[in-house]
């Protein structure tokens, strides 16, 4: 009941009511303090400031008492306690306006902080939904669908094309291509055969396979992925307010100065004035107002910042780790090279033959070739005798020509000779991180089509600008080493960690943090969620990225524009600097007001007005941050 009352009084509607009544009380005080004729609000049977004191003072008193009871050690002493002391002291000498003003400013600060620290809902429920509900178990020669939780280690499971693999296991029979993007972020399905491992939550794209379950239930890869997100979420401590960090010494100092002021002057009003001007309201406002302004500015440029803590931490980041697929690259396959081994045909002929043969293929490489051929308006012919070998390649007859399209291994198995020129070409393409589809007619290779993910054009300039800001860049990817090295060179990233599973990405970030680096992780996939949660601050590619990655991250780039990363860093740096300037200014104003209070120049009311002016300066400085111009494109 008390908690509900406290939340009601601390809400925006009641805080507005408190502000209106404080304003009503300000009018007679202004006329009286500055020599005018006091204007009394005779239609009210009580001082309007009482309404402000009750509305804004009760939540503050509740907070101060709660911290005294529940907080350990010196953290029992908080800024809320100091302001409550000042409030009661001002009430004791009859200066209700001063009492109402200090608690009202704190109520405004609490609302601003709450507005900037509300986080988007977490994506854990979506991640949990990815876990398959059932599996097809083979028992005594029969197939039976059973709940995934009933699968035991050693059970034989059959996985049909298009089905999600329900547990970790080893392939016993069959060949296929498996979409492992949930685990590794790889843009291409991985060809798998007997003896190779498959993981829970990954998708069997083509051939039917039988697997032996090796890790089931809570031990499966997907369950471990979910646990890592949960564990990393628990490690995220809420931002501790700056005013509370200094309250452990601020409260005793304020009380000591107030007591000494009373002892040496004999004037209780002077002591109360010291307590009023000592209240750290401007200090409390410095962080949330600057962060609110910066979040507003970022939103205008398509950068969604979910919490003030993320923005504050981004200003301290010195290392940025990137995922590759869908982050540095577009995450889609395009034909990058057409290489001829038979001089009797042209590049257009090769593209036309390969696309015609692949037209009935379901493999992503085959589909990409067909899309490219249509875009280039290459003629497509009807294929006959189409036959696909899952995970390896296809056979088709096109224009009375018998064609094989697929991997080097597939062509060799079908009697195609791979000579030195073809071998060296394939090796060169591999070092460039490209996938290759060989095309053969009879026993001879006639050409190769290379496909590659595409680096975002702004990536290189973005990395260069981060380097100019003395920010280290690292590539963390599940892709093969050669692919990772190729794209890292293209982007200008010198530090590469490749072939990483989700837990290994987490370990890489933890190692960087152990070296006292503040790490930002940028990713787009489900497999990036644990790393995003582990990093000090995280950024997700919003428009293409998975819902889980966006929910796991603290910042989302809604346009998938990497040029916004240097902008985000500059904005964060400026925000941290603004907060420091505001805190310094508020401390200087407080110090000057204390001196004037000891000289008996200020009364509790005028002291409250000076104190309020300091808070207004802090808000004004933060407002300037909202309209500051930052370079937002590379």
């Amino acid at each position: 009941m008390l908690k509900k009352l406290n939340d009601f009084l601390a809400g925006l509607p009641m805080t507005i009511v408190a502000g209106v009544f404080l304003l009503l009380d300000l009018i007679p005080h202004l006329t009286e303090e500055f020599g005018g004729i006091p204007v009394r609000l005779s239609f009210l049977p009580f001082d309007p400031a009482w309404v402000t004191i009750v509305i804004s003072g009760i939540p503050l008193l509740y907070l101060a008492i709660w911290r005294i009871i529940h907080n350990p050690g010196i953290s029992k002493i908080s800024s809320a306690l100091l302001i409550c002391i000042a409030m009661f002291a001002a009430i004791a000498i009859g200066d209700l306006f001063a009492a109402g003003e200090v608690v009202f400013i704190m109520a405004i600060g609490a609302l601003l902080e709450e507005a900037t620290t509300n986080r988007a809902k977490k994506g854990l429920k979506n991640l949990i939904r990815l876990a398959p509900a059932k599996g097809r178990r083979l028992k005594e020669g029969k197939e039976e669908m059973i709940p995934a939780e009933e699968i035991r280690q050693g059970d034989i499971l059959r996985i049909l094309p298009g089905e999600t693999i329900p547990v970790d296991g080893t392939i016993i029979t069959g060949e296929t291509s498996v979409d492992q993007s949930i685990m590794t972020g790889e843009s291409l399905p991985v060809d798998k055969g007997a003896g190779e491992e498959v993981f829970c939550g990954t998708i069997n794209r083509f051939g039917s396979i039988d697997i032996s379950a090796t890790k089931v239930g809570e031990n499966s890869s997907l369950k471990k992925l979910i646990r890592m997100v949960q564990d990393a979420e628990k490690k995220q401590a809420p931002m501790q307010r700056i005013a509370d960090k200094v309250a452990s010494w601020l409260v005793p100092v304020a009380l000591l100065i107030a007591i000494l002021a009373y002892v040496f002057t004999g004037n209780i009003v002077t002591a109360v004035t010291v307590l009023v001007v000592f209240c750290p309201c401007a200090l409390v406002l410095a962080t949330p107002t600057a962060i609110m302004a910066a979040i507003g500015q970022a939103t205008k440029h398509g950068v969604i910042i979910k919490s003030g803590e993320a923005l504050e931490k981004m200003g301290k980041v010195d290392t940025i780790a990137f995922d590759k697929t869908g982050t540095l690259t577009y995450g889609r396959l395009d034909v990058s090279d057409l290489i001829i081994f038979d001089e009797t045909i042209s590049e257009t002929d090769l593209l036309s033959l390969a696309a015609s043969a692949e037209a009935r293929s379901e493999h992503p490489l085959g589909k990409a070739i067909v899309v490219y051929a249509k875009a280039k308006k290459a003629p497509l012919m009807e294929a006959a005798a189409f036959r696909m070998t899952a995970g390896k390649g296809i056979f088709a007859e096109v224009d009375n020509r018998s064609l094989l399209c697929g991997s080097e291994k597939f062509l060799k198995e079908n009697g195609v000779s791979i000579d030195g020129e073809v071998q060296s070409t394939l090796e060169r393409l591999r070092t460039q991180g490209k996938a290759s589809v060989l095309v053969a007619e009879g026993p001879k290779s006639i050409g190769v089509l290379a496909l590659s993910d595409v680096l975002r054009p702004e990536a290189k300039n973005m990395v260069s600008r981060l380097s100019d800001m003395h920010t280290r860049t690292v590539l963390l990817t599940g892709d093969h080493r050669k692919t990772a090295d190729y794209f890292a060179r293209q982007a200008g990233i010198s530090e590469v960690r490749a072939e990483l599973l989700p837990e290994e990405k987490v370990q890489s970030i933890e190692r960087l943090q152990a070296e006292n680096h503040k790490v930002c992780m940028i990713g787009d996939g489900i497999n990036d969620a644990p790393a995003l949660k582990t990093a000090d601050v995280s950024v997700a590619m919003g428009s293409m990225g998975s819902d889980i990655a966006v929910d796991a991250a603290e910042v989302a780039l809604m346009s998938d524009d990497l040029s916004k990363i240097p902008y985000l860093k500059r904005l964060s740096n400026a925000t941290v600097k603004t907060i420091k300037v505001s805190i310094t200014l508020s401390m200087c104003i407080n110090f000057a007001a204390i001196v004037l209070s000891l000289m008996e120049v200020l009364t509790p009311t005028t002291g409250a007005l000076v104190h309020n002016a300091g808070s207004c300066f802090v808000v004004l400085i933060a407002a300037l941050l909202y309209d500051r111009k930052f370079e937002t494109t590379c």
Side-chain angles (χ1 to χ4, degrees):
M1 181 64 184
L2 186 60
K3 179 69 166 60
K4 287 183 179 179
L5 174 64
N6 178 73
D7 292 342
F8 172 70
L9 293 175
L12 180 60
M14 292 306 293
T15 302
I16 292 173
V17 172
V20 170
F21 276 88
L22 187 66
L23 183 61
L24 292 175
D25 194 55
L26 176 62
I27 297 169
H29 277 285
L30 283 175
T31 56
E32 189 172 4
E33 287 290 340
F34 298 103
I37 300 172
V39 179
R40 298 297 174 194
L41 303 175
S42 55
F43 61 88
L44 290 176
F46 55 84
D47 193 313
W50 274 116
V51 177
T52 306
I53 292 169
V54 171
I55 291 176
S56 299
I58 289 177
L60 196 66
L61 183 61
Y62 175 88
L63 178 62
I65 294 173
W66 191 92
R67 287 177 175 172
I68 289 172
I69 294 172
H70 296 283
N71 282 12
I74 197 69
S75 62
K76 292 178 181 292
I77 302 173
S78 65
S79 57
L81 178 60
L82 174 56
I83 292 168
C84 285
I85 293 171
M87 177 185 71
F88 284 121
I91 291 172
I93 64 168
D95 198 328
L96 299 182
F97 174 78
E101 188 271 345
V102 292
V103 293
F104 176 70
I105 292 294
M106 283 296 290
I108 293 294
L111 286 174
L112 288 172
E113 187 174 37
E114 182 181 3
T116 58
T117 55
N118 281 337
R119 294 174 181 268
K121 64 180 181 180
K122 307 304 174 188
L124 262 181
K125 288 184 180 178
N126 292 333
L127 184 57
I128 291 169
R129 287 195 199 105
L130 292 174
K134 294 183 177 181
R136 183 180 287 98
R137 184 170 65 184
L138 300 180
K139 192 172 184 180
E140 297 176 355
K142 295 181 180 180
E143 293 183 10
E144 56 178 349
M145 294 297 293
I146 62 171
E149 58 267 22
E150 292 182 15
I151 298 173
R152 298 291 177 261
Q153 187 173 348
D155 282 353
I156 306 302
L157 306 173
R158 177 160 292 165
I159 318 296
L160 300 182
E163 290 185 341
T164 302
I165 298 170
V167 295
D168 290 8
T170 303
I171 297 176
I172 301 173
T173 59
E175 294 177 330
T176 187
S177 295
V178 179
D179 180 353
Q180 297 189 152
S181 58
I182 184 177
M183 298 300 298
T184 66
E186 288 180 281
S187 52
L188 293 173
V190 178
D191 296 335
K192 299 273 188 176
E196 295 187 273
E197 285 186 309
V198 291
F199 303 104
C200 176
T202 59
I203 301 170
N204 178 28
R205 285 299 183 195
F206 305 110
S208 174
I209 54 173
D210 292 348
I211 69 170
S212 173
T214 55
K215 294 179 182 177
V216 301
E218 294 300 316
N219 293 322
S220 71
S221 299
L222 184 61
K223 293 291 186 180
K224 284 168 64 179
L225 188 63
I226 293 169
R227 279 203 305 277
M228 280 191 290
V229 175
Q230 291 172 323
D231 292 344
E233 172 66 22
K234 292 173 185 176
K235 293 176 186 176
Q236 297 289 338
M239 180 171 61
Q240 188 179 11
R241 289 160 58 167
I242 294 175
D244 286 334
K245 293 179 182 179
V246 301
S248 57
W249 60 265
L250 199 62
V251 173
V253 169
L255 290 174
L256 179 61
I257 293 176
I259 291 169
L260 291 175
Y262 177 66
V263 169
F264 286 102
T265 65
N267 188 347
I268 188 64
V269 173
T270 300
V272 173
T273 304
V274 168
L275 288 175
V276 169
V277 300
F278 225 120
C279 289
C281 295
L283 192 63
V284 170
L285 286 171
T287 298
T289 52
I291 286 174
M292 176 172 276
I295 288 176
Q297 154 135 183
T299 302
K300 291 191 297 183
H301 296 292
V303 180
I304 307 303
I305 302 172
K306 299 181 185 178
S307 74
E309 184 182 8
L311 187 67
E312 193 175 14
K313 289 189 294 186
M314 189 69 191
K316 301 172 184 176
V317 161
D318 59 11
T319 302
I320 297 182
F322 293 90
D323 176 46
K324 182 188 77 68
T325 306
T327 303
L328 282 180
T329 67
Y330 283 111
R332 67 168 187 259
L333 289 170
D334 280 337
V335 174
S336 58
D337 302 85
L338 288 163
I339 301 170
I340 305 298
F341 300 135
D342 184 346
E343 294 180 358
T344 63
I345 64 170
S346 66
E347 288 187 359
T348 302
D349 292 336
L350 176 65
L351 178 59
S352 178
L353 290 170
S356 299
E358 293 281 7
R360 291 162 61 184
S361 172
E362 291 297 315
H363 198 284
L365 294 180
K367 287 183 175 182
I369 290 171
V370 174
V371 168
Y372 181 79
K374 288 179 179 178
K376 293 295 182 181
K377 295 184 169 51
L380 296 182
M381 296 163 279
E382 189 67 29
F386 178 85
R387 185 172 67 252
M388 179 175 178
T389 303
K392 292 185 177 181
I394 61 138
F395 168 83
E397 291 183 1
V398 178
D399 194 25
N400 295 319
R401 304 171 77 162
S402 297
L403 301 176
L404 289 168
C405 300
S407 66
E408 178 185 358
K409 180 181 177 182
F410 177 65
L411 266 63
K412 284 181 177 179
E413 287 176 354
N414 285 274
V416 177
S417 173
I418 305 296
D419 60 23
E421 180 189 3
V422 176
Q423 194 72 53
S424 61
T425 299
L426 292 176
E427 184 58 31
R428 176 172 59 83
L429 293 173
R430 274 192 285 267
T431 61
Q432 295 174 355
K434 298 175 181 178
S436 301
V437 175
L438 280 166
V439 182
E441 183 179 6
K444 181 182 177 183
S445 296
I446 61 173
V448 62
L449 290 85
L451 297 96
S452 174
D453 202 347
V454 181
L455 187 75
R456 294 180 187 272
E458 70 273 17
K460 186 171 183 178
N461 199 2
M462 177 269 300
V463 171
S464 175
R465 289 175 61 192
L466 288 174
S467 179
D468 291 341
M469 286 186 274
H470 308 290
T471 304
R472 173 186 184 187
T473 52
V474 182
L475 180 62
L476 303 179
T477 179
D479 270 4
H480 295 295
R481 166 61 64 177
K482 288 182 179 179
T483 303
D485 286 341
Y486 173 75
F487 281 103
R489 284 196 304 273
Q490 296 290 100
I493 298 175
S494 58
E495 190 171 344
V496 180
R497 302 180 188 185
E499 301 178 19
L500 301 178
L501 291 172
E503 60 265 31
E504 291 171 324
K505 286 187 180 181
V506 169
Q507 291 164 6
S508 293
I509 288 174
E510 288 175 340
R511 280 195 292 270
L512 289 169
Q513 290 171 328
E515 296 168 4
N516 295 319
H517 291 292
K518 295 294 182 183
V519 182
C520 170
M521 174 68 191
I522 302 176
D524 81 309
I526 294 167
N527 64 94
D528 297 321
L532 290 168
K533 281 294 182 185
T534 302
D536 296 288
V537 63
S538 51
V539 179
M541 308 296 280
S543 66
M544 284 183 62
S546 72
D547 290 341
I548 292 162
V550 172
D551 284 343
E554 295 160 297
V555 181
L557 304 182
M558 301 315 295
S559 63
D560 281 356
D561 184 357
L562 285 177
S563 67
K564 295 295 191 292
I565 299 299
Y567 159 74
L568 175 63
K569 184 73 175 103
R570 291 188 188 280
L571 176 64
S572 302
N573 291 346
T575 304
V576 170
K577 185 176 180 181
T578 298
I579 291 170
K580 290 178 179 178
V581 168
S582 296
I583 290 173
T584 302
L585 177 64
S586 67
M587 296 294 282
C588 290
I589 290 174
N590 274 18
F591 178 76
I594 291 166
V595 173
L596 293 174
S597 300
L598 293 173
M599 294 170 62
E600 300 186 3
V601 174
L602 296 179
T603 64
T605 298
T606 54
L609 292 173
V610 170
H611 168 266
N612 204 2
S615 300
C616 290
F617 275 125
V618 166
V619 173
L620 178 61
I621 292 170
L624 294 175
L625 182 64
Y626 181 80
D627 291 319
R628 190 178 302 181
K629 302 296 181 184
F630 295 93
E631 188 179 355
T632 57
T633 57
C634 288

